Amino acid sequence: MTAVFLDTPRRLVDVTIDGETVRVPEGATLLDACRQQGIDTPTLCYLENLTPVNVCRVCVVEVEGSRTLVPACSRKAEQGMTVHTDSERVRTSRKMVLEFLSSSADLSLASPDVRRWVSNYGVDPGRYGPPAADHAAGERDATRPGEHHATDGAAAGTVRQPVKYDNDSYVRDYSRCILCYKCVEACGPDAQNTFAIAVAGRGFDARISTEFDVTLPDSACVYCGNCIGVCPTGALMPASEYVMRQAGTWDESRQTVTTTICPYCGVGCNLELHVQDNRIVKVTSPLDHDVGNGHLCVKGRFGFEFVQRRAGES
């Protein structure tokens, strides 16, 4: 006889969301409950395979009895909660967060969901004034806590700066970075445990940085690319994609995605091969695969050039 081990049954709790009663398992988040109801709840720093860090604040909802808006991605549902996801207070908060991000960072490569939320909430970053001048290379990296200087208010602060292209695997365009912490979590305890990057600085001067601001090849980075896989805005991008975008040849409408198994070892990670013009242009991994949960190693994510070598090529 084969023993079958079952999880301990979880108690169900009833939560009222926008006037409708929702029953979810104890321990589920308000975001889980909202999604169960098909409620379009914006998220930027949340991802199913990462620990919620509650930094983007666009998923906030109003809970009756709570002094402040709460992040739906991490707040647990409790019996008898009454939640409002589309109140004036919630809409105003989400709009302002999206405006702040849009005024300081380039969201042009963010997902269609982000662009839809920008439209739905009437986001107008232009009301903060024209963007300030781009930062010189290394200028933001050189800032230190306590050295922030107030601007004259005539222009909106920006994180725009030159692209960091110091290795053959991927580029870092921090003009698009919204400090969602996803790359830090993927590089750290949630996936790779390399801890090559972290958030440095304070306030508007905060940025993603390697240890002592060294270049990526001199850092602890192992080029697994898991930071790329979780980046929501294109701030981290495979070099193959970046080169094609610069040349104007990147065209997702002409790409096909084929799921296969990584050939390098016996772990069995799933690969999603993005193919354009009969060439692999980048590799991703599905979040719902129970082996890698969307994460890969350097071989799985970048080791595909051998597929495209022809007989006689060096």
Side-chain angles (χ1 to χ4, degrees):
M1 178 181 295
T2 302
V4 178
F5 296 95
L6 301 176
D7 290 336
T8 303
R10 289 194 290 173
R11 185 170 67 95
L12 298 177
V13 296
D14 291 326
V15 181
T16 301
I17 301 180
D18 295 340
E20 298 288 335
T21 300
V22 184
R23 178 165 290 181
V24 296
E26 189 175 38
T29 64
L30 293 179
L31 180 61
D32 295 330
C34 289
R35 289 181 170 179
Q36 182 174 310
Q37 286 297 95
I39 297 173
D40 184 23
T41 307
T43 60
L44 287 172
C45 69
Y46 174 80
L47 200 61
E48 289 78 3
N49 62 346
L50 299 176
T51 302
V53 290
N54 318 321
V55 294
C56 77
R57 314 306 283 189
V58 296
C59 73
V60 291
V61 295
E62 188 171 1
V63 176
E64 291 188 6
S66 176
R67 180 178 60 85
T68 61
L69 299 177
V70 302
C73 67
S74 62
R75 182 63 179 267
K76 303 298 184 184
E78 298 174 11
Q79 178 66 34
M81 264 186 175
T82 300
V83 181
H84 304 283
T85 69
D86 200 39
S87 66
E88 186 63 28
R89 188 182 180 194
V90 169
R91 292 189 63 85
T92 299
S93 177
R94 291 176 178 176
K95 176 182 178 180
M96 290 191 65
V97 169
L98 289 171
E99 282 184 339
F100 288 152
L101 294 177
S102 299
S103 68
S104 61
D106 181 359
L107 301 184
S108 61
L109 294 184
S111 70
D113 285 337
V114 175
R115 294 194 289 272
R116 186 183 74 253
W117 296 326
V118 166
S119 175
N120 290 349
Y121 287 95
V123 172
D124 179 21
R127 71 190 183 97
Y128 299 112
D134 294 7
H135 294 274
E139 180 181 351
R140 281 183 58 81
D141 296 324
T143 59
R144 292 292 182 267
E147 295 181 356
H148 178 71
H149 302 287
T151 65
D152 58 9
T158 180
V159 297
R160 289 204 306 269
Q161 58 191 287
V163 174
K164 298 177 184 290
Y165 195 176
D166 54 11
N167 66 92
D168 295 329
S169 297
Y170 66 95
V171 301
R172 296 173 289 160
D173 185 358
Y174 288 143
S175 297
R176 306 180 187 277
C177 180
I178 60 171
L179 284 181
C180 67
Y181 281 68
K182 285 182 178 178
C183 60
V184 176
E185 293 298 299
C187 185
D190 282 352
Q192 193 61 32
N193 287 286
T194 297
F195 302 96
I197 54 176
V199 176
R202 296 291 185 271
F204 195 75
D205 291 331
R207 71 275 181 194
I208 303 298
S209 176
T210 57
E211 65 273 24
F212 305 110
D213 299 326
V214 299
T215 62
L216 211 60
D218 292 329
S219 73
C221 178
V222 295
Y223 298 98
C224 64
N226 290 323
C227 55
I228 302 172
V230 300
C231 180
T233 62
L236 302 172
M237 182 182 298
S240 55
E241 178 179 348
Y242 178 76
V243 169
M244 291 181 67
R245 285 187 181 275
Q246 292 298 105
T249 58
W250 182 266
D251 186 355
E252 292 184 1
S253 66
R254 293 162 49 200
Q255 295 177 13
T256 59
V257 180
T258 302
T259 301
T260 185
I261 298 177
C262 182
Y264 281 105
C265 74
V267 171
C269 297
N270 270 18
L271 305 182
E272 294 173 326
L273 307 180
H274 298 248
V275 178
Q276 179 178 326
D277 300 329
N278 204 32
R279 293 183 65 86
I280 300 172
V281 292
K282 75 173 181 179
V283 175
T284 57
S285 184
L287 296 179
D288 59 356
H289 189 234
D290 57 4
V291 174
N293 298 115
H295 303 302
L296 295 171
C297 72
V298 60
K299 293 180 180 179
R301 194 174 301 275
F302 298 116
F304 56 82
E305 284 296 328
F306 76 94
V307 178
Q308 294 161 169
R309 295 293 183 184
R310 300 294 186 266
E313 291 184 1
S314 59

